[in-house]
């Protein structure tokens, strides 16, 4: 394992690699371990980053103005967090670049995402660096990062050989057996197609199968505005044709990947969360039609990112020439207007 000296800088990355945010919590340690193994698999450098801001407090006297906390004290604390994080990487063959950054957590990561290959964060933290990412700025990183973002729940520690991470005595359930598959949720949107291409690439590079899921949410009182009863059998039949055409399209770009498609009933977030428990990786897009990817950064995405039981990869929306030949493989849902 190569180690660099921690540096305090707002400079860009030396080369494209994987960036992981740490704050000393079990959640960020789990994200760090996952990121390190991913960096080892990809033969990419790993940037271990912690960030801090110097708080300013209003003084009790009007004449005193404002008082600031000693920057050096906070920086030393950040250095301790960084040093402790690096100790968890013993035995992992990866080129490590520890970094201390100053600034808002979300802003720091968003800036680094301009040059990163992959961003990695824990699903919760101490309320500092990683902790805020799924708090007040939960939509900022996955929705606006320029590269894919992996969100790693603390329960993933058991998969990584560290079941003690996040353990709650007497409350933990045995982890579900993980199948050698990558799962992607689709809804017929261009963003979901981008996610499916990314998922197929992840499956290919890992030597895994790909499972493409489309979920049909139940119709209830919240859909009372629907003017006529929906023929669910006809809807399922139409979606099955769409999914088969989508599978053929993916196969044309990834012929060596074993791809299966599943049409399921149930709320999209619940279906995704359930699938995350037994898959190596769950992949979703940042936007869509209101199904899987469509609610990302909304209620569905927050449910998935907060309650997923395995790693979730959020794929940003970006141009891809492979999308242009999708219509050659059969029916497509008309573009949303």
């Amino acid at each position: 394992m190569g180690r660099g000296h921690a540096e305090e800088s707002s400079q860009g990355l030396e080369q494209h690699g994987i960036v992981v945010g740490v704050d000393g919590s079990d959640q960020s340690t789990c994200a760090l371990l996952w990121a390190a193994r991913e960096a080892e698999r990809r033969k990419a450098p790993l940037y271990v980053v912690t960030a801090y801001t110097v708080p300013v407090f209003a003084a009790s006297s009007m004449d005193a103005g404002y008082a600031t906390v000693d920057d050096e004290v906070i920086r030393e604390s950040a250095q301790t967090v960084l040093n402790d994080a690096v100790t968890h990487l013993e035995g992992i063959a990866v080129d490590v670049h520890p970094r201390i950054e100053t600034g808002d957590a979300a802003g720091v990561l968003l800036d680094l995402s301009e040059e990163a290959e992959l961003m990695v964060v824990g699903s919760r933290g101490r309320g500092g660096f990683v902790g805020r990412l799924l708090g007040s700025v939960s939509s900022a990183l996955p929705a606006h990062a320029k590269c894919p973002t992996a969100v790693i729940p603390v329960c993933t520690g058991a998969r990584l050989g560290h079941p003690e991470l996040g353990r709650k005595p007497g409350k933990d359930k045995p982890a579900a057996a993980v199948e050698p598959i990558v799962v992607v949720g689709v809804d017929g949107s261009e963003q979901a197609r981008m996610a499916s291409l990314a998922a197929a690439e992840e499956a290919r590079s890992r030597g895994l199968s790909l499972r493409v899921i489309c979920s049909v949410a139940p119709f209830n009182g919240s859909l009372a505005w629907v003017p006529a009863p929906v023929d669910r059998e006809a809807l399922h039949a139409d979606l099955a044709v769409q999914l088969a055409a989508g599978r053929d399209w993916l196969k044309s770009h990834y012929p060596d990947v074993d791809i299966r498609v599943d049409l399921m009933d149930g709320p999209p977030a619940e279906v995704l969360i359930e699938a995350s428990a037994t898959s190596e990786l769950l992949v979703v897009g940042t936007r869509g039609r209101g199904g899987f990817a469509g609610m990302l950064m909304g209620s569905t995405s927050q449910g998935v990112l907060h309650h997923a039981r395995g790693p979730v990869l959020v794929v940003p929306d970006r141009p891809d020439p492979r999308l242009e030949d999708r219509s050659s493989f059969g029916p497509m849902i008309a573009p949303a207007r």
Side-chain angles (χ1 to χ4, degrees):
M1 177 185 70
R3 294 189 189 178
H5 294 291
E7 57 182 29
E8 184 176 2
S9 172
S10 58
Q11 300 290 323
L13 305 180
E14 297 174 18
Q15 56 182 310
H16 292 309
I18 295 176
V19 175
V20 57
V22 297
D23 66 356
S25 66
D26 281 357
Q27 287 82 357
S28 75
T29 298
C30 191
L32 171 68
L33 292 170
W34 189 91
R37 297 196 181 187
E38 186 67 10
E40 183 179 38
R41 186 181 72 84
R42 298 187 184 203
K43 296 180 173 55
L46 178 66
Y47 296 88
V48 183
V49 181
T50 194
Y52 72 95
T53 56
V54 180
V56 178
F57 302 96
S60 58
S61 168
M62 291 292 290
D63 296 333
Y66 291 88
T68 61
V69 176
D70 186 357
D71 175 81
E72 186 64 25
V73 172
I74 299 179
R75 201 193 78 81
E76 288 178 0
S77 178
Q79 184 68 62
T80 298
V81 167
L82 206 55
N83 292 344
D84 289 345
V86 172
T87 64
H88 290 286
L89 302 180
E90 295 292 342
I92 302 178
V94 61
D95 184 18
V96 180
H97 299 263
R99 293 172 65 115
I100 297 176
E101 299 280 351
T102 56
D104 177 75
V108 166
L109 286 185
L110 286 173
D111 286 346
L112 292 176
S113 76
E114 294 275 359
E115 301 175 81
E117 178 179 334
L118 174 70
M119 306 297 294
V120 183
V121 295
S123 58
R124 293 177 179 85
R126 293 187 183 279
F129 188 85
V130 181
R132 290 194 60 202
L133 291 179
L134 290 178
S136 61
V137 294
S138 60
S139 64
L141 187 65
H144 301 292
K146 302 304 181 182
C147 67
T149 301
V151 180
I152 313 300
V154 71
C155 60
T156 306
R159 303 186 186 189
L160 300 170
H162 293 268
E164 75 283 357
L165 291 175
R167 172 173 288 175
K168 297 178 181 178
K171 295 184 179 180
D172 290 341
K173 298 180 180 179
V178 178
E179 300 176 26
I181 59 171
V182 172
V183 171
V184 60
V186 298
D187 64 0
S189 66
E190 287 290 278
Q191 290 79 9
R193 293 184 190 109
M194 268 300 307
S196 66
L197 287 169
E201 176 58 32
E202 291 292 332
R204 185 203 61 77
S205 67
R206 297 164 186 266
L208 304 177
S209 299
L210 176 64
R211 181 186 180 198
V212 181
I213 300 178
C214 180
S215 174
V216 180
F219 297 122
N220 52 35
S222 65
L223 294 180
W225 49 265
V226 175
V230 175
D231 186 338
R232 289 185 70 82
E233 288 189 6
L235 175 63
H236 277 241
D238 181 62
L239 289 175
V241 172
Q242 299 277 357
L243 284 172
R247 179 195 56 212
D248 292 343
W249 169 67
L250 279 176
K251 266 290 189 182
S252 72
H253 293 289
Y254 292 92
D256 298 330
V257 176
D258 178 31
I259 303 173
R260 90 172 196 251
V261 295
D262 286 325
L263 181 58
M264 305 181 69
D265 283 306
E270 292 182 13
V271 171
L272 282 176
I273 291 167
E274 186 67 24
S276 72
T278 55
S279 59
E280 287 283 353
L281 186 68
L282 172 65
V283 182
V284 292
T286 53
R287 296 174 181 84
R289 296 181 176 278
F292 276 122
M295 291 296 291
L296 264 176
M297 310 312 116
S299 59
T300 296
S301 68
Q302 296 304 320
V304 170
L305 294 181
H306 281 294
H307 301 291
R309 294 150 63 188
V312 179
L313 183 68
V314 182
V315 180
D317 185 20
R318 65 176 100 183
D320 190 311
R322 293 175 296 180
L323 296 174
E324 297 175 5
D325 64 5
R326 169 61 185 87
S327 59
S328 301
F329 290 84
M332 293 177 63
I333 297 175
R337 296 183 181 276

